Amino acid sequence: MNALILAAGDGTRIKSVVPKILLPLCGVPLIQRTILTLKDAGITDMIVIVGFKKDVVKNYLEDGSKYGVKISYATNGDYERENATSILKAEKMVDEKFLLVMGDHIFTPNIIKCILSVKGDLVIATDSNPRYIDVGEATKIFIDADEIKDIGKDLTEFNAVDTGIFLCSKQIFPVITQCLKDGKEEWSDSIKKYIENHKVVSYDVSASFWLDVDTEEDLKKAETLLLGSLTKPGDGYISRNLNRKISTKISKHLVKTGITPNQLTLISFMIALISATSFSFGGYIYVAVGGVSAQLASILDGCDGEIARLKFLQTSYGSWLDACLDRYADFLIILGMTYGYWIIHKEVLIWLIGFICLAGTFMIAYAPTRYKEAFNENWRTRSKRIPIGRDVRLFIIFLGGISNQILYSLILLAILANLEALMRLIHHRKDSKN
Amino acid sequence: MNALILAAGDGTRIKSVVPKILLPLCGVPLIQRTILTLKDAGITDMIVIVGFKKDVVKNYLEDGSKYGVKISYATNGDYERENATSILKAEKMVDEKFLLVMGDHIFTPNIIKCILSVKGDLVIATDSNPRYIDVGEATKIFIDADEIKDIGKDLTEFNAVDTGIFLCSKQIFPVITQCLKDGKEEWSDSIKKYIENHKVVSYDVSASFWLDVDTEEDLKKAETLLLGSLTKPGDGYISRNLNRKISTKISKHLVKTGITPNQLTLISFMIALISATSFSFGGYIYVAVGGVSAQLASILDGCDGEIARLKFLQTSYGSWLDACLDRYADFLIILGMTYGYWIIHKEVLIWLIGFICLAGTFMIAYAPTRYKEAFNENWRTRSKRIPIGRDVRLFIIFLGGISNQILYSLILLAILANLEALMRLIHHRKDSKN
C-alpha cells in the first residue's frame, strides 16, 4: 500500500519564504515528519503532490532514499484551487488501496497503524474529542455507529472532526472527477458525494496526538506539545518533576543544531567524568562542583533520547550505548566520591561503603534488563518499590555534594539500592513462567 | 490435537520390580519424560494406554495435573500381544488427528514440533542416520522422495528406521482392525497395509536426539548422552573443558536427590560467600581457600541449570535469580580479595584496582543482556573477543588465590574485562537497527 501526501498548497496563513511544509518543527520540516511518521508505521512507498514552489520541495526531499523510503511526485499546477484537484493528479499512481494524508499535519505512527487495520473502502480517522486544534476551522463530521453520515466545514450537527488521515480505494476517483465537474473542489465535497452511495467508516483516534498546522501559533503549539510528550512512563520522581523540565528546554534549542543523540550521550558522560574527577579531590568546593555536575549529567542524560525522538533518530545502538555509558558514569562518580573522601579522612570504611554502593547501583540497572531476557516480557513491579532510579541516585549524590555529606549520601545509596535489589529477588519469586 | 502414549508392555528385557516406563532416567521416569517433552512441544491432552501393572502406572501419573497436562487412560488387557492391540483401544478417545508416541522412547520437543508442521494423514518421524540405537532391533523403513514405500523389522533394503513418533489420523483404525483379524498384530504391519492404498509421509529427524530404551544398557547410554548434551553453545573455554566435565558428574548424582535448581543456585552463592570471607582474611592459607572455593562455586554454578534441564524444571525466575546472584557473588569475591590484600599490605591502590575490576566484571554481564533489550535480538560478537566470561574470571581468581597473587589477578581481571567492555561499545557501533 502506498501513501499520498498532499503538499501542493501555498500555506498563505504562515508568512515564510519557504513553503509551509518545509518549515521546521523541532528541527524537522513538517513534510519530513509526515514521511518519517509513515515510515515508522511501515509505509515506505509515497507519492507527494507538489505545486507551490514545487522544485524547492522536490530538491529537499529528493527520491526519499535518504529517509529509507521511495518518493514519487505528481504536480498540481492548479494548487491555488482546493485540494480535490491535487488528489486527482495521483489517480494513475496510487495502489488499489492507499493512504491519504496532509503534508502539514502532525500525527503519531500509531494512528496510521490503527487505521490500516480497519476494513472499508473509505475509512476516515476522526477525532471525537479534538484537544489541540481550532474546531471552528476543522472539517466536521457526523457519525452514527462508526458510519459517517455527513461531512463539511459548515456542519451544525457534528460529533467529530476529520484528522486529515484517510484510507481510500480507487473507487473514490470517479466521484472526485464528477464533483470537480460540478465545481465542488473540496476533498470533503467528494466524500459527501461518496457517502450517498457507499459506506464510509469512521475510526476514532481521539486518544492519540495529532495536529493541523495552519498558522505560526499552530507551529508554536505543536512544538510545545511535542516537547511536553517527551516524559516517559518509566521516568522517576526527580526526572518527572525536575530533570525533564530542564532537559526539554535544552532540547528545544539543541534540535535546531546538528548535534546527534550519540554526541549528547558522550557529552553527558564527559560531564560525569568531570564530576568524578572533581569529587576525587575531596575538598568542599570540589565536592560541591562534583555534586552539581553529577546533577547536570543527569539532566543532560535525558537530552539524547529527547533529540532522538524529536528528530526520528532513535537507534538501538544509541539506546545501548547510553545505557552502558550510564553504568560507567555511575561507577566513576562513586569511585570519585569514595576516593575524595578517603584522601581527606583516611578511613578505610569508605571503600567498603563505596564498593557496596557500586554493587547496588549496578544491580538496580541489571536486574530489570536481565528479567526481560529471562521472562521475555517487560519488568513488572508487583511490590511498592523503593524509587532509586538513576535520576534519584544522582540527585542524592548532588545533595551529598553541595552539603559536603559524601559519607551519608554513599551510605544512603548503598542501603536503598541493595535493599531494593534484594526485595526484587524475593518479590518476583512467584513469577513462575516456564 | 491429543497424543497417544503406548505404555502397556511389560518390558521384559529389563529386570525391574517397577514397570520399565517408570524407571528413572536422570531422576525422571521414562514416561514422565515423554509427557513433559510433549508438554514442552505444546501438547497437553494425552491418552496413556496401560496394561502391565496398570495401577502402578496410573497411581504414579494420576490425572496429569501435577505436570500441567490432562491424562486419560485406556487399558489393554492383552498387553502381552503386539502393540497394534494397544493402539486400537484408544480408537474412541483420540482426536481426528493425533500423535502416537512410545512411552519408553526419549526424544526432544523439537522433533514433535517439526512433525506437527508436516501435512499428511500418516506422517512418520524417521531417522536416516541412527546413531544411538541398535539398528538390528529397529523397525526399518524404505523411503523414496519423502514417501514411505515399505516398513518392517526384517526389511533387507531400507534407508531409515522409525523413531516411534507418528502423526496419525483416524483413518488408520479400520486398517488396524483388519490387520488384527488377519493375525498381524505389529503396528508396522498396519502401516504396511495402509501404504497399499494411502500416501505415508516420512519426516527425517536424523539431526535430533532420540533413543529407544529396551535394555539396562540403553538406559545407561541414555544417561550418558543426556549428561553429554548439557554443554551450552555459549559456554566459555574453562566451562567447556573443565567445569562442565565436573559439574555433569555432580549433576548425575544430584538428579537422584530431591534438590531443586534454585536450592543449588543458593548453595553456589553460599560457597562464593565462603570464598569472599576467606579471601578477606588476607593470609596465604585463607587466600588459597578463597581461590579454591571460588572455583568450586563456578563449577556448582553449572549444576543448577543442568538439573533444571535434566528434570524439566527450567523456570524464568530460576535463570533470573541465578544471574542476579552471580553478580552479587562476583561482587563479594572481588570485595573479599581487595579487603584481604588491603589488611596485609595497606596499599590504597588495591581499592582502586578492586573498584575497576568490579565495574568491568559487571559490564561484561550487563552489556549483552542490555544489547538484547535494545536490539531485540541475541548478542552477536562480530569481533574476536577477549574470552572473559564468568568461568574464565573465576578461574583467574582461583589461580590468583592458590598462587597468592591477588594483586596481579585483580589487575588482569580489571584490564581484560574493561578492555573487552570498551571494545564491544566500539565494535557494535555499526549495528544500526532502528
mmCIF file with all atom_site columns, all heavy atoms in Angstrom, chain A residues 15 49 113 125 138 243 300 309 331 357 361:
data_model
loop_
_atom_site.group_PDB
_atom_site.id
_atom_site.type_symbol
_atom_site.label_atom_id
_atom_site.label_alt_id
_atom_site.label_comp_id
_atom_site.label_asym_id
_atom_site.label_entity_id
_atom_site.label_seq_id
_atom_site.pdbx_PDB_ins_code
_atom_site.Cartn_x
_atom_site.Cartn_y
_atom_site.Cartn_z
_atom_site.occupancy
_atom_site.B_iso_or_equiv
_atom_site.pdbx_formal_charge
_atom_site.auth_seq_id
_atom_site.auth_comp_id
_atom_site.auth_asym_id
_atom_site.auth_atom_id
_atom_site.pdbx_PDB_model_num
ATOM 1  N N   . LYS A 1 15  ? 3.513   33.388 7.165  1.00 0.00 ? 15  LYS A N   1
ATOM 2  C CA  . LYS A 1 15  ? 4.449   34.193 6.371  1.00 0.00 ? 15  LYS A CA  1
ATOM 3  C C   . LYS A 1 15  ? 5.815   33.515 6.406  1.00 0.00 ? 15  LYS A C   1
ATOM 4  O O   . LYS A 1 15  ? 6.388   33.309 7.459  1.00 0.00 ? 15  LYS A O   1
ATOM 5  C CB  . LYS A 1 15  ? 4.572   35.599 6.958  1.00 0.00 ? 15  LYS A CB  1
ATOM 6  C CG  . LYS A 1 15  ? 3.374   36.486 6.679  1.00 0.00 ? 15  LYS A CG  1
ATOM 7  C CD  . LYS A 1 15  ? 3.650   37.918 7.122  1.00 0.00 ? 15  LYS A CD  1
ATOM 8  C CE  . LYS A 1 15  ? 2.349   38.659 7.407  1.00 0.00 ? 15  LYS A CE  1
ATOM 9  N NZ  . LYS A 1 15  ? 1.805   38.330 8.760  1.00 0.00 ? 15  LYS A NZ  1
ATOM 10 N N   . ILE A 1 49  ? 2.252   15.139 -3.735 1.00 0.00 ? 49  ILE A N   1
ATOM 11 C CA  . ILE A 1 49  ? 1.675   16.060 -4.717 1.00 0.00 ? 49  ILE A CA  1
ATOM 12 C C   . ILE A 1 49  ? 2.258   17.439 -4.442 1.00 0.00 ? 49  ILE A C   1
ATOM 13 O O   . ILE A 1 49  ? 2.030   18.009 -3.370 1.00 0.00 ? 49  ILE A O   1
ATOM 14 C CB  . ILE A 1 49  ? 0.140   16.142 -4.584 1.00 0.00 ? 49  ILE A CB  1
ATOM 15 C CG1 . ILE A 1 49  ? -0.484  14.750 -4.623 1.00 0.00 ? 49  ILE A CG1 1
ATOM 16 C CG2 . ILE A 1 49  ? -0.438  17.045 -5.675 1.00 0.00 ? 49  ILE A CG2 1
ATOM 17 C CD1 . ILE A 1 49  ? -0.438  14.079 -5.957 1.00 0.00 ? 49  ILE A CD1 1
ATOM 18 N N   . LYS A 1 113 ? -1.007  2.960  11.973 1.00 0.00 ? 113 LYS A N   1
ATOM 19 C CA  . LYS A 1 113 ? -1.104  1.504  12.178 1.00 0.00 ? 113 LYS A CA  1
ATOM 20 C C   . LYS A 1 113 ? -2.549  1.097  12.456 1.00 0.00 ? 113 LYS A C   1
ATOM 21 O O   . LYS A 1 113 ? -3.024  0.072  11.977 1.00 0.00 ? 113 LYS A O   1
ATOM 22 C CB  . LYS A 1 113 ? -0.211  1.078  13.355 1.00 0.00 ? 113 LYS A CB  1
ATOM 23 C CG  . LYS A 1 113 ? 1.271   1.050  13.003 1.00 0.00 ? 113 LYS A CG  1
ATOM 24 C CD  . LYS A 1 113 ? 2.099   0.592  14.202 1.00 0.00 ? 113 LYS A CD  1
ATOM 25 C CE  . LYS A 1 113 ? 3.568   0.901  14.004 1.00 0.00 ? 113 LYS A CE  1
ATOM 26 N NZ  . LYS A 1 113 ? 4.315   0.911  15.266 1.00 0.00 ? 113 LYS A NZ  1
ATOM 27 N N   . ALA A 1 125 ? -9.926  8.672  9.693  1.00 0.00 ? 125 ALA A N   1
ATOM 28 C CA  . ALA A 1 125 ? -9.518  8.800  11.091 1.00 0.00 ? 125 ALA A CA  1
ATOM 29 C C   . ALA A 1 125 ? -10.167 10.060 11.636 1.00 0.00 ? 125 ALA A C   1
ATOM 30 O O   . ALA A 1 125 ? -9.887  11.167 11.161 1.00 0.00 ? 125 ALA A O   1
ATOM 31 C CB  . ALA A 1 125 ? -8.003  8.880  11.196 1.00 0.00 ? 125 ALA A CB  1
ATOM 32 N N   . ALA A 1 138 ? -12.040 23.393 11.493 1.00 0.00 ? 138 ALA A N   1
ATOM 33 C CA  . ALA A 1 138 ? -11.905 21.989 11.098 1.00 0.00 ? 138 ALA A CA  1
ATOM 34 C C   . ALA A 1 138 ? -13.038 21.519 10.200 1.00 0.00 ? 138 ALA A C   1
ATOM 35 O O   . ALA A 1 138 ? -14.098 22.148 10.125 1.00 0.00 ? 138 ALA A O   1
ATOM 36 C CB  . ALA A 1 138 ? -11.844 21.112 12.350 1.00 0.00 ? 138 ALA A CB  1
ATOM 37 N N   . ASN A 1 243 ? 14.233  17.053 36.217 1.00 0.00 ? 243 ASN A N   1
ATOM 38 C CA  . ASN A 1 243 ? 15.143  16.890 35.080 1.00 0.00 ? 243 ASN A CA  1
ATOM 39 C C   . ASN A 1 243 ? 14.480  17.128 33.724 1.00 0.00 ? 243 ASN A C   1
ATOM 40 O O   . ASN A 1 243 ? 15.020  17.844 32.883 1.00 0.00 ? 243 ASN A O   1
ATOM 41 C CB  . ASN A 1 243 ? 15.770  15.493 35.094 1.00 0.00 ? 243 ASN A CB  1
ATOM 42 C CG  . ASN A 1 243 ? 16.644  15.271 36.316 1.00 0.00 ? 243 ASN A CG  1
ATOM 43 O OD1 . ASN A 1 243 ? 16.741  16.147 37.179 1.00 0.00 ? 243 ASN A OD1 1
ATOM 44 N ND2 . ASN A 1 243 ? 17.269  14.114 36.406 1.00 0.00 ? 243 ASN A ND2 1
ATOM 45 N N   . LEU A 1 300 ? 21.294  16.205 31.427 1.00 0.00 ? 300 LEU A N   1
ATOM 46 C CA  . LEU A 1 300 ? 21.682  16.053 30.025 1.00 0.00 ? 300 LEU A CA  1
ATOM 47 C C   . LEU A 1 300 ? 21.452  14.634 29.525 1.00 0.00 ? 300 LEU A C   1
ATOM 48 O O   . LEU A 1 300 ? 21.258  14.404 28.336 1.00 0.00 ? 300 LEU A O   1
ATOM 49 C CB  . LEU A 1 300 ? 23.157  16.415 29.845 1.00 0.00 ? 300 LEU A CB  1
ATOM 50 C CG  . LEU A 1 300 ? 23.437  17.870 29.497 1.00 0.00 ? 300 LEU A CG  1
ATOM 51 C CD1 . LEU A 1 300 ? 24.922  18.077 29.294 1.00 0.00 ? 300 LEU A CD1 1
ATOM 52 C CD2 . LEU A 1 300 ? 22.672  18.293 28.243 1.00 0.00 ? 300 LEU A CD2 1
ATOM 53 N N   . ARG A 1 309 ? 14.050  11.228 19.743 1.00 0.00 ? 309 ARG A N   1
ATOM 54 C CA  . ARG A 1 309 ? 12.623  11.070 19.463 1.00 0.00 ? 309 ARG A CA  1
ATOM 55 C C   . ARG A 1 309 ? 12.082  12.238 18.644 1.00 0.00 ? 309 ARG A C   1
ATOM 56 O O   . ARG A 1 309 ? 11.287  12.059 17.736 1.00 0.00 ? 309 ARG A O   1
ATOM 57 C CB  . ARG A 1 309 ? 11.841  10.911 20.776 1.00 0.00 ? 309 ARG A CB  1
ATOM 58 C CG  . ARG A 1 309 ? 11.896  9.462  21.289 1.00 0.00 ? 309 ARG A CG  1
ATOM 59 C CD  . ARG A 1 309 ? 11.220  9.298  22.626 1.00 0.00 ? 309 ARG A CD  1
ATOM 60 N NE  . ARG A 1 309 ? 12.072  9.801  23.705 1.00 0.00 ? 309 ARG A NE  1
ATOM 61 C CZ  . ARG A 1 309 ? 11.636  10.197 24.886 1.00 0.00 ? 309 ARG A CZ  1
ATOM 62 N NH1 . ARG A 1 309 ? 10.344  10.160 25.150 1.00 0.00 ? 309 ARG A NH1 1
ATOM 63 N NH2 . ARG A 1 309 ? 12.477  10.622 25.806 1.00 0.00 ? 309 ARG A NH2 1
ATOM 64 N N   . PHE A 1 331 ? 29.723  4.372  37.931 1.00 0.00 ? 331 PHE A N   1
ATOM 65 C CA  . PHE A 1 331 ? 30.913  3.787  38.542 1.00 0.00 ? 331 PHE A CA  1
ATOM 66 C C   . PHE A 1 331 ? 31.963  4.863  38.836 1.00 0.00 ? 331 PHE A C   1
ATOM 67 O O   . PHE A 1 331 ? 32.497  4.951  39.950 1.00 0.00 ? 331 PHE A O   1
ATOM 68 C CB  . PHE A 1 331 ? 31.464  2.705  37.600 1.00 0.00 ? 331 PHE A CB  1
ATOM 69 C CG  . PHE A 1 331 ? 32.933  2.467  37.707 1.00 0.00 ? 331 PHE A CG  1
ATOM 70 C CD1 . PHE A 1 331 ? 33.500  1.970  38.880 1.00 0.00 ? 331 PHE A CD1 1
ATOM 71 C CD2 . PHE A 1 331 ? 33.766  2.739  36.629 1.00 0.00 ? 331 PHE A CD2 1
ATOM 72 C CE1 . PHE A 1 331 ? 34.871  1.750  38.962 1.00 0.00 ? 331 PHE A CE1 1
ATOM 73 C CE2 . PHE A 1 331 ? 35.125  2.522  36.711 1.00 0.00 ? 331 PHE A CE2 1
ATOM 74 C CZ  . PHE A 1 331 ? 35.684  2.036  37.882 1.00 0.00 ? 331 PHE A CZ  1
ATOM 75 N N   . CYS A 1 357 ? 27.917  0.311  47.537 1.00 0.00 ? 357 CYS A N   1
ATOM 76 C CA  . CYS A 1 357 ? 27.114  1.278  46.794 1.00 0.00 ? 357 CYS A CA  1
ATOM 77 C C   . CYS A 1 357 ? 27.182  0.979  45.293 1.00 0.00 ? 357 CYS A C   1
ATOM 78 O O   . CYS A 1 357 ? 26.168  0.977  44.592 1.00 0.00 ? 357 CYS A O   1
ATOM 79 C CB  . CYS A 1 357 ? 27.655  2.671  47.103 1.00 0.00 ? 357 CYS A CB  1
ATOM 80 S SG  . CYS A 1 357 ? 26.727  3.968  46.351 1.00 0.00 ? 357 CYS A SG  1
ATOM 81 N N   . THR A 1 361 ? 24.084  -0.140 42.878 1.00 0.00 ? 361 THR A N   1
ATOM 82 C CA  . THR A 1 361 ? 23.785  0.702  41.723 1.00 0.00 ? 361 THR A CA  1
ATOM 83 C C   . THR A 1 361 ? 23.725  -0.128 40.438 1.00 0.00 ? 361 THR A C   1
ATOM 84 O O   . THR A 1 361 ? 22.816  0.027  39.623 1.00 0.00 ? 361 THR A O   1
ATOM 85 C CB  . THR A 1 361 ? 24.880  1.787  41.604 1.00 0.00 ? 361 THR A CB  1
ATOM 86 O OG1 . THR A 1 361 ? 24.794  2.610  42.758 1.00 0.00 ? 361 THR A OG1 1
ATOM 87 C CG2 . THR A 1 361 ? 24.700  2.627  40.367 1.00 0.00 ? 361 THR A CG2 1
#
